[in-house]
């Protein structure tokens, strides 16, 4: 049995006809899912880190570079989704073009992106939730908000809010995609309004002197006996890699193709629209923030040591508008719920696609007859994510999530190019213009950003991929449905 066997487009079409998922998502619901996944804690947290440690006021250019890296991949995702409107995202695209082993590796990388991303978001939500409670003078005990490794006291401890928010999200998702989409639409409206509020209100407190010089000269930041290269043009690029986590999630739209009403047209639209909307908002927020506060004021050892942890809220505090911090904190707390919702939803659909192909156990592809959702899949996934988020210190997961995303983006750029060469006559309702140029740019910039992630994150992520290859040869290869019952048109 060849590890390079390719699943033909006809087999995907047969899967779509047999699908028990309910097609309930329209163009704007899909766009809201993309925005819901992208706008999260990243914009409210990573802006301070990106400005001080990397780009200074030129952080806006870092957001543009990261956005361009996503656009190249988004165009390639869009062409694929117009050909193969199925759940599974980049995993399914690779299975139909490059071969099973590559599809498995990408699927395994997407598990890293979505599972680790979900855990990171759950823990981030816990932090915002605790901050919100403290604003109203409610204090939870440390042993209920801290994982065991970070707890300084004695006895039992867990991050209870992180544990409970995952269970809450799972309870929403198992009821049906339509209800989850409505909840997501409401939350997206709330947090986009909050981002627009930050931009408009912040305009009144901008000091243009804070933008000079816009691109500071390259320097070395010495902190606790460690040296960090910052600013200049190299700082802008490293800043793009550092804030890339803020963009993670637009590919979640493609995981919902199996539930889209008109997937061949609406999924490409939603992918590109959600990315463009969020890129514009991110650029404007970064300009407002670095205009309100000098980038040097985000120094954790300087005059405002807490500013780097909650930069947007702190900028309004310094401007004497502490009330705005309440609005931002509430919006971030509620907004992160939709990020978690979309990430878990996307993860479950990737499991669903891999399970249908026999590469992971069949329990993940069982669809509940009433809700039309993979209920057991969601419950297993939710149980795992909630426990890990509650009991594990999560420090490098943002970089690991970015690695999984950048890896998938790179492979999609390669795969769409291969499919255009191998099957140029396939019907494509969306075609990437100047594909060779777009694909090469996408491969180059996403690979370069991967290289600029921390070494620890790279090693941990590569170790995850090695484990994935071992799982494939010990289980996936032997149980592959394409291997057991060859499909007409399948390539070996």
């Amino acid at each position: 049995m060849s590890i390079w066997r390719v699943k033909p487009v006809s087999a995907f079409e047969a899967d779509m006809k047999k699908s028990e998922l309910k097609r309930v998502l329209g163009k704007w619901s899909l766009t809201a899912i993309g925005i819901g996944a992208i706008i999260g804690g990243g914009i409210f947290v990573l802006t301070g880190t990106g400005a001080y440690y990397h780009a200074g006021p030129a952080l806006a250019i870092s957001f543009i570079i990261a956005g361009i890296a996503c656009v190249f991949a988004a165009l390639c995702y869009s062409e694929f989704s117009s050909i193969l409107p199925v759940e599974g995202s980049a995993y399914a695209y690779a299975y139909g073009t490059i071969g099973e082993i590559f599809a498995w590796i990408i699927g395994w990388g997407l598990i890293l992106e979505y599972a680790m991303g979900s855990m990171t978001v759950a823990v981030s939500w816990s932090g915002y939730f605790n901050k919100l409670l403290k604003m109203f003078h409610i204090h939870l005990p440390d042993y209920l908000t801290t994982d065991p490794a970070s707890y300084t006291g004695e006895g039992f401890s867990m991050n209870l809010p992180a544990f409970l928010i995952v269970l809450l999200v799972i309870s929403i998702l198992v009821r049906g995609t339509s209800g989850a989409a409505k909840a997501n639409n409401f939350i997206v409206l709330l947090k986009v309004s909050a981002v627009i509020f930050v931009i408009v209100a912040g305009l009144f407190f901008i000091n243009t002197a804070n933008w000079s010089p816009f691109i500071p000269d390259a320097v070395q930041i010495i902190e606790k006996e460690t040296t960090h290269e910052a600013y200049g043009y190299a700082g802008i690029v490293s800043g793009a890699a550092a804030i890339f986590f803020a963009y993670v999630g637009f590919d979640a739209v493609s995981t919902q193709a199996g539930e889209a009403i008109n997937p061949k047209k609406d999924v490409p639209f939603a992918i590109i629209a959600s990315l463009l909307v969020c890129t514009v908002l991110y650029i404007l927020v970064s300009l407002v923030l670095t205009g309100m506060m000098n980038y040097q004021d985000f120094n954790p050892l300087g005059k405002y040591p807490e500013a780097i942890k909650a930069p947007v809220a702190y900028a309004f505090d310094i401007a004497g508008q502490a009330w705005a911090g309440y609005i931002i904190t509430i919006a971030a707390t509620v907004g992160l719920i939709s990020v978690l919702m979309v990430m878990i939803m996307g993860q479950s659909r990737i499991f669903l696609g891999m399970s249908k192909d026999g590469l992971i156990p069949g329990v993940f592809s069982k669809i509940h007859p009433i809700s039309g959702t993979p209920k057991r899949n969601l419950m297993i996934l939710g149980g795992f994510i909630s426990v890990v988020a509650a009991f594990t210190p999560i420090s490098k997961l943002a970089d690991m999530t970015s690695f999984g995303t950048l890896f998938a983006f790179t492979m999609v750029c390669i795969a769409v190019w291969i499919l255009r060469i191998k099957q140029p006559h396939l019907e494509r309702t969306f075609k990437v213009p100047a594909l060779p140029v777009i694909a090469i740019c996408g491969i180059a910039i996403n690979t370069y950003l991967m290289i600029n992630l921390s070494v620890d994150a790279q090693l941990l992520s590569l170790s995850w991929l090695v484990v994935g290859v071992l799982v494939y040869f010990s289980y996936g290869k032997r149980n592959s449905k394409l291997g057991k019952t060859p499909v007409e048109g399948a390539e070996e």
Side-chain angles (χ1 to χ4, degrees), residues 234-306:
I236 292 172
V237 175
S238 66
I243 52 90
F244 190 83
F245 181 73
Y247 279 101
V248 168
F250 80 82
D251 54 327
V253 176
S254 64
T255 69
Q256 301 303 124
E259 289 145 286
I261 297 170
N262 187 4
K264 289 193 174 186
K265 290 184 178 180
D266 292 349
V267 172
F269 173 87
I271 288 173
I272 295 172
S274 61
L275 181 60
L276 291 178
V277 168
C278 293
T279 299
V280 171
L281 292 176
Y282 281 5
I283 292 167
L284 293 175
V285 167
S286 62
L287 285 171
V288 167
L289 184 66
T290 54
M292 291 179 70
M293 280 184 68
N294 188 285
Y295 68 97
Q296 296 283 9
D297 287 338
F298 292 112
N299 183 354
L301 302 178
K303 184 178 179 181
Y304 307 109
E306 298 297 315

Side-chain angles (χ1 to χ4, degrees), residues 102-130:
F102 261 90
W104 170 269
I105 291 172
I106 289 179
W108 197 253
L110 288 170
I111 293 172
L112 178 71
E113 172 189 345
Y114 283 104
M116 300 299 181
S118 297
M119 296 168 198
T120 306
V121 172
V123 174
S124 297
W125 181 87
S126 176
Y128 273 103
F129 179 67
N130 287 324

Side-chain angles (χ1 to χ4, degrees), residues 3-5 95 99-104 359 472 476-477 480 482:
I3 62 173
W4 300 104
R5 53 191 168 226
Y95 210 169
E100 187 173 276
I101 182 64
F102 261 90
W104 170 269
L359 300 182
Y472 170 73
K477 185 173 183 291
S480 168
L482 201 60

Side-chain angles (χ1 to χ4, degrees), residues 395-409:
S395 55
K396 295 182 173 63
L397 286 184
D399 272 3
M400 289 178 70
T401 305
S402 295
F403 183 97
T405 308
L406 289 164
F407 179 76
F409 286 3

